[in-house]
Amino acid sequence: MPATQNRRMVAVVLLIPVVVTIALWAFAWPAARIAPRDLPVGIAGSAPAADRLQQQFEQHGDAFEIHRFGDGATARTAIEDRVVYGAVVITPKGPRLLTASAASPMVAQLLREAVTTQTLAGGPVHVTDVVAAPAGDPRGSALGASILPLAIAGVAAGSAVTMLRLRGGRAVGALTGVAALVGIAAAALTDSWLGAITGDWWTEAGALGLTVLAIGATVAGLAALIGPSGVGLGALLMVLLGNPFSGITSAPELLPQPLGAIGQLLPPGAGGSLLRSVAFFDGSAAGGAALTLGLWAAVGLTAVLVGGRRRTPAATAPSPGIPEPALAG
């Protein structure tokens, strides 16, 4: 017994610093390396001036991914469809910058600085915010803070299903019910009260709920397959990695790669992108994020059902060597 206690003490002493180190790396390193990396930006206007402007953007290396458009109306549509974050339109009166602070206030500010102080050597530029962030959350702070609570809710749901030993349909029902109620409560808070999101109310609730379901199902599914340690693994994946890699407070293209791309394949990142699309862009570019969340949810719920069937017979079968009690009468 003393030897066992010593081993447990050493495990705790070593494990906690490792987890803290991982958390600091996951949160602090991407935040300290924010910079554009293949950031989609549009250029519209006559060829000679647009060509010169593109060359100036390309002097920044791989910072920008340039999309060319014939006119400002086409560039505006591309912004509304989430093809690009912004565009510079060459006009006879000078350059005009189109941004979308709803897509990322940080990117909108970055484009203003790049166009006015670097690309065009400080010349006057008229700025139009095509899809503006809502008045209730002009800096995107509330939206950026929403993903961590959703991740915690999903981990909590998966942990509760595991600790209460819910199996099969009961486990699926509990996870689905929690996700639905959290989605409704979160939409009521962020839309109806704070005004931080402004899209269709029920679509937003669905996006929030699907994010929680994908996370909760993954945690419960891992626990059903590999035991209680699956809860810790799921929490590590969703909270310590998925949340800082989501890019919700900046943009995936501002994170060090491949972290930004990986983050969009995890439920927190996909959930953040889906919420932006349905809240501000009428669902544009929502398909990929919705598919990602749906796959995580489906695989997780399947693991819950499979794991429950594997464990239930073992849990209900009589222990070998122990006779069953005789029935009275």
Side-chain angles (χ1 to χ4, degrees), residues 142-158:
L143 181 67
S146 65
I147 295 302
L148 179 58
L150 296 180
I152 293 174
V155 172

PDB file of all heavy atoms in Angstrom, residues 142-158:
ATOM      1  N   ALA A 142     -17.834  38.964 -27.133  1.00  0.00           N
ATOM      2  CA  ALA A 142     -18.812  38.006 -26.618  1.00  0.00           C
ATOM      3  C   ALA A 142     -18.833  36.741 -27.458  1.00  0.00           C
ATOM      4  O   ALA A 142     -18.899  35.619 -26.925  1.00  0.00           O
ATOM      5  CB  ALA A 142     -20.191  38.640 -26.563  1.00  0.00           C
ATOM      6  N   LEU A 143     -18.785  36.904 -28.784  1.00  0.00           N
ATOM      7  CA  LEU A 143     -18.752  35.732 -29.656  1.00  0.00           C
ATOM      8  C   LEU A 143     -17.498  34.907 -29.405  1.00  0.00           C
ATOM      9  O   LEU A 143     -17.555  33.672 -29.329  1.00  0.00           O
ATOM     10  CB  LEU A 143     -18.820  36.162 -31.113  1.00  0.00           C
ATOM     11  CG  LEU A 143     -18.825  35.026 -32.132  1.00  0.00           C
ATOM     12  CD1 LEU A 143     -20.104  34.219 -32.012  1.00  0.00           C
ATOM     13  CD2 LEU A 143     -18.685  35.584 -33.551  1.00  0.00           C
ATOM     14  N   GLY A 144     -16.359  35.593 -29.260  1.00  0.00           N
ATOM     15  CA  GLY A 144     -15.111  34.880 -29.011  1.00  0.00           C
ATOM     16  C   GLY A 144     -15.106  34.136 -27.692  1.00  0.00           C
ATOM     17  O   GLY A 144     -14.480  33.076 -27.561  1.00  0.00           O
ATOM     18  N   ALA A 145     -15.820  34.674 -26.701  1.00  0.00           N
ATOM     19  CA  ALA A 145     -15.855  34.032 -25.390  1.00  0.00           C
ATOM     20  C   ALA A 145     -16.874  32.913 -25.305  1.00  0.00           C
ATOM     21  O   ALA A 145     -16.927  32.219 -24.288  1.00  0.00           O
ATOM     22  CB  ALA A 145     -16.161  35.076 -24.315  1.00  0.00           C
ATOM     23  N   SER A 146     -17.682  32.714 -26.346  1.00  0.00           N
ATOM     24  CA  SER A 146     -18.777  31.751 -26.263  1.00  0.00           C
ATOM     25  C   SER A 146     -18.343  30.313 -26.479  1.00  0.00           C
ATOM     26  O   SER A 146     -19.035  29.387 -26.048  1.00  0.00           O
ATOM     27  CB  SER A 146     -19.859  32.112 -27.287  1.00  0.00           C
ATOM     28  OG  SER A 146     -19.360  31.976 -28.612  1.00  0.00           O
ATOM     29  N   ILE A 147     -17.220  30.091 -27.143  1.00  0.00           N
ATOM     30  CA  ILE A 147     -16.845  28.726 -27.506  1.00  0.00           C
ATOM     31  C   ILE A 147     -16.355  27.931 -26.295  1.00  0.00           C
ATOM     32  O   ILE A 147     -16.680  26.746 -26.155  1.00  0.00           O
ATOM     33  CB  ILE A 147     -15.770  28.746 -28.606  1.00  0.00           C
ATOM     34  CG1 ILE A 147     -16.361  29.359 -29.877  1.00  0.00           C
ATOM     35  CG2 ILE A 147     -15.273  27.348 -28.907  1.00  0.00           C
ATOM     36  CD1 ILE A 147     -17.580  28.645 -30.410  1.00  0.00           C
ATOM     37  N   LEU A 148     -15.614  28.556 -25.397  1.00  0.00           N
ATOM     38  CA  LEU A 148     -15.117  27.819 -24.226  1.00  0.00           C
ATOM     39  C   LEU A 148     -16.257  27.296 -23.359  1.00  0.00           C
ATOM     40  O   LEU A 148     -16.235  26.127 -22.970  1.00  0.00           O
ATOM     41  CB  LEU A 148     -14.170  28.705 -23.415  1.00  0.00           C
ATOM     42  CG  LEU A 148     -13.582  28.061 -22.147  1.00  0.00           C
ATOM     43  CD1 LEU A 148     -12.832  26.786 -22.497  1.00  0.00           C
ATOM     44  CD2 LEU A 148     -12.664  29.046 -21.426  1.00  0.00           C
ATOM     45  N   PRO A 149     -17.286  28.101 -23.035  1.00  0.00           N
ATOM     46  CA  PRO A 149     -18.410  27.532 -22.276  1.00  0.00           C
ATOM     47  C   PRO A 149     -19.101  26.378 -22.994  1.00  0.00           C
ATOM     48  O   PRO A 149     -19.551  25.422 -22.349  1.00  0.00           O
ATOM     49  CB  PRO A 149     -19.355  28.721 -22.094  1.00  0.00           C
ATOM     50  CG  PRO A 149     -18.473  29.914 -22.187  1.00  0.00           C
ATOM     51  CD  PRO A 149     -17.428  29.556 -23.193  1.00  0.00           C
ATOM     52  N   LEU A 150     -19.206  26.455 -24.317  1.00  0.00           N
ATOM     53  CA  LEU A 150     -19.806  25.351 -25.061  1.00  0.00           C
ATOM     54  C   LEU A 150     -18.957  24.097 -24.946  1.00  0.00           C
ATOM     55  O   LEU A 150     -19.483  22.980 -24.801  1.00  0.00           O
ATOM     56  CB  LEU A 150     -19.978  25.734 -26.532  1.00  0.00           C
ATOM     57  CG  LEU A 150     -20.938  26.883 -26.852  1.00  0.00           C
ATOM     58  CD1 LEU A 150     -20.992  27.122 -28.354  1.00  0.00           C
ATOM     59  CD2 LEU A 150     -22.329  26.602 -26.313  1.00  0.00           C
ATOM     60  N   ALA A 151     -17.633  24.260 -25.021  1.00  0.00           N
ATOM     61  CA  ALA A 151     -16.744  23.112 -24.865  1.00  0.00           C
ATOM     62  C   ALA A 151     -16.860  22.515 -23.471  1.00  0.00           C
ATOM     63  O   ALA A 151     -16.908  21.289 -23.304  1.00  0.00           O
ATOM     64  CB  ALA A 151     -15.300  23.530 -25.154  1.00  0.00           C
ATOM     65  N   ILE A 152     -16.927  23.371 -22.466  1.00  0.00           N
ATOM     66  CA  ILE A 152     -17.074  22.883 -21.090  1.00  0.00           C
ATOM     67  C   ILE A 152     -18.405  22.161 -20.919  1.00  0.00           C
ATOM     68  O   ILE A 152     -18.482  21.111 -20.264  1.00  0.00           O
ATOM     69  CB  ILE A 152     -16.946  24.054 -20.099  1.00  0.00           C
ATOM     70  CG1 ILE A 152     -15.518  24.606 -20.132  1.00  0.00           C
ATOM     71  CG2 ILE A 152     -17.312  23.617 -18.686  1.00  0.00           C
ATOM     72  CD1 ILE A 152     -15.323  25.862 -19.307  1.00  0.00           C
ATOM     73  N   ALA A 153     -19.470  22.717 -21.519  1.00  0.00           N
ATOM     74  CA  ALA A 153     -20.784  22.072 -21.431  1.00  0.00           C
ATOM     75  C   ALA A 153     -20.755  20.689 -22.071  1.00  0.00           C
ATOM     76  O   ALA A 153     -21.328  19.724 -21.531  1.00  0.00           O
ATOM     77  CB  ALA A 153     -21.840  22.942 -22.103  1.00  0.00           C
ATOM     78  N   GLY A 154     -20.106  20.573 -23.224  1.00  0.00           N
ATOM     79  CA  GLY A 154     -20.014  19.271 -23.875  1.00  0.00           C
ATOM     80  C   GLY A 154     -19.227  18.272 -23.056  1.00  0.00           C
ATOM     81  O   GLY A 154     -19.628  17.104 -22.914  1.00  0.00           O
ATOM     82  N   VAL A 155     -18.091  18.707 -22.504  1.00  0.00           N
ATOM     83  CA  VAL A 155     -17.284  17.817 -21.668  1.00  0.00           C
ATOM     84  C   VAL A 155     -18.068  17.411 -20.426  1.00  0.00           C
ATOM     85  O   VAL A 155     -18.036  16.247 -20.001  1.00  0.00           O
ATOM     86  CB  VAL A 155     -15.954  18.485 -21.284  1.00  0.00           C
ATOM     87  CG1 VAL A 155     -15.201  17.652 -20.246  1.00  0.00           C
ATOM     88  CG2 VAL A 155     -15.084  18.687 -22.529  1.00  0.00           C
ATOM     89  N   ALA A 156     -18.794  18.363 -19.831  1.00  0.00           N
ATOM     90  CA  ALA A 156     -19.591  18.054 -18.644  1.00  0.00           C
ATOM     91  C   ALA A 156     -20.679  17.043 -18.964  1.00  0.00           C
ATOM     92  O   ALA A 156     -20.944  16.119 -18.176  1.00  0.00           O
ATOM     93  CB  ALA A 156     -20.203  19.335 -18.077  1.00  0.00           C
ATOM     94  N   ALA A 157     -21.332  17.187 -20.118  1.00  0.00           N
ATOM     95  CA  ALA A 157     -22.375  16.244 -20.503  1.00  0.00           C
ATOM     96  C   ALA A 157     -21.800  14.846 -20.702  1.00  0.00           C
ATOM     97  O   ALA A 157     -22.363  13.851 -20.217  1.00  0.00           O
ATOM     98  CB  ALA A 157     -23.062  16.724 -21.782  1.00  0.00           C
ATOM     99  N   GLY A 158     -20.685  14.756 -21.405  1.00  0.00           N
ATOM    100  CA  GLY A 158     -20.058  13.454 -21.604  1.00  0.00           C
ATOM    101  C   GLY A 158     -19.591  12.836 -20.302  1.00  0.00           C
ATOM    102  O   GLY A 158     -19.711  11.615 -20.099  1.00  0.00           O
TER     103      GLY A 158
END
